[in-house]
Amino acid sequence: MYCKACGEKSIDAANYCPNDGTLLLPLTAAKFNVAATKHFCPDCGTPGKGDQNYCQSCGSSMTQFSKGRSGAQGSLPTINKESLQADKLLSTVKLPSMDSFKQAIMPVIVSILALIIISFSLLTFSKEAFDTLMADVADEADLSYMIEEIADQTGADIPALDKIFGLPDIIMVSHFVHPGLYASFDGEMYGEEGEVETSVDIWSGLFIYLLVPFIALFIGGVVAGYRNRNTDKGLLESNLAISVLYGLALSVISLFAGVSFSEKIREDAMNLDIKLGIDYSFFGSLFTGFIMAFVFAGLGMLFAQNFRKFTGNLSEMIPYGEAVHQAFSTMVRGVILLFVLFVIFISSKLDMAKDWATYELGLQGLIDKIYLFVITIAAQLSVYIWNLIHFGNFTFTGNENGDPGSISYSVWSGLSANGEGEQELFFLEKGLEMMDIPLYLKLAFIIPILLFVWAGYRIARKGNGIIELAVFSFVYAILLAGITAITDMGFTAELSGFDSGKMEMAWGFSGFGMFIRSFLFAFLFSYAGSWLTRLRQS
């Protein structure tokens, strides 16, 4: 038997919850009158506060009752469910113990193994696609052979292509830990003497990459969840332990990712010291690994508790759990719906895309892998469009040696540009109008609106009020801002030496701007959904 207020497990013969004192069985024959509040628990003697209904130590009633002569002369004290759950959560939240870390080792190992298998498959596909692309573009030229020839001629120990970007790099990129590239050339070349240094920071926010850590950590979370099945005790502590260990494991992997290359070339016309390298942030890997493990492994643990409810388990586990559940569900439903629509649309244009890739670009070898490209593009577009129909501004910016330019687009204000971007504005506007994209985007606003109304309706049906709607909107805005941040794309390159300069290019949405807009958007229409619930009940 489980308590309907806090979810605590009780024996079948119990009348009251041992955790919060909630009545577990229907109150029929007994009639009670409320008397004075006791200052000490009658069973264990633990001191209690004046407003305390039940003993925090043993769960016994701290209120005196007497049997009524006719009818109910009083009622049991009203129990605030959210307050009880908050007290329960705060009382159980603590740093993971050594036993928790020991129990977390196996789920983390399972997650790492799954991560390696998935990343290796992705690396194999990427290498095949790259080799095919280079063969098509370079007219069957073998890039690896060309690198070997250069190495033989110069005597330089140039690393092979599969050593430059390997399995650890795929793992880093799939966790959105962006690489930093650096190169320096110092010496003399064809009579010119000096030093040139360059650095490049790249962020490749392909949303489809998120599937890699999600699947791996979800599996590990399921393994951990089955150990704590049918109880929510220790779930948070276990999840924290898994997150810490996984973050540490990912930061260790970052040390093996990338490449470092140093060579001295001594020939008649060249006397150069060359340094090349790719590296990843150790602390960035630690932080990203912790956050992803906490979310994705936590989802796996909830799935193991009750796969039919999934995140709905949160309603019985944590304060405002229904609001958190609805926030996550709304995000997933909206993005998946757009993804399916884009897959259908792009698939309907597949023959046209194949002809264009074959005859216009000459990429015949990639036709066999076009379906994976369709999925990748559909996933990216679903996130971008989801941001646009939350009043987001998609911005493409560029800056070359202090000469900036940008183009922005929003559904209701249309295109705007400044600097170099103004030259392309006219053609972009005409292209969008010809395909009726502004009209379709405005109609698409009905999707999040309906989802928000439904979420507000569900939250209100649970008897929750304005605070729960605010929590729902806040959690939803956090989720969308996080997805927005990881799906930004671009690079920054800086050169110093003979020709110093800097170039920047980026496209995406503002994470902070999306947080504010999505919070207000979600709160407004979820409130409308709660109003419909109250209207129906009245």
Side-chain angles (χ1 to χ4, degrees), residues 112-150:
I112 295 297
L113 290 176
L115 178 66
I116 291 174
I117 294 172
I118 299 170
S119 298
F120 181 77
S121 302
L122 183 60
L123 177 64
T124 302
F125 171 82
S126 300
K127 186 178 183 303
E128 292 176 355
F130 178 78
D131 292 341
T132 303
L133 178 64
M134 293 307 301
D136 286 339
V137 173
D139 194 20
E140 305 300 330
D142 191 337
L143 187 59
S144 299
Y145 176 76
M146 294 171 61
I147 292 177
E148 292 176 2
E149 284 293 311
I150 295 174

Side-chain angles (χ1 to χ4, degrees), residues 26 39 62 67 76 83 88 97 217 244 274-275 312 319 327 335 339 352 362 381 389 403 410 430 446 483 497 527:
H39 295 290
M62 298 288 288
K67 195 169 184 179
L76 290 173
S83 176
K88 180 181 177 181
S97 63
L217 287 165
V244 171
I274 301 175
K275 294 181 180 179
V335 174
F339 172 74
M352 184 185 303
L381 286 177
I389 58 178
D403 189 11
S410 66
K430 292 300 180 183
I446 194 66
I483 292 176
Y527 182 81

Side-chain angles (χ1 to χ4, degrees), residues 490-512:
F491 69 90
T492 300
E494 189 169 359
L495 178 68
S496 62
F498 293 116
D499 295 316
S500 299
K502 185 176 183 179
M503 173 181 263
E504 298 176 341
M505 188 174 294
W507 54 94
F509 298 82
S510 166
F512 180 74

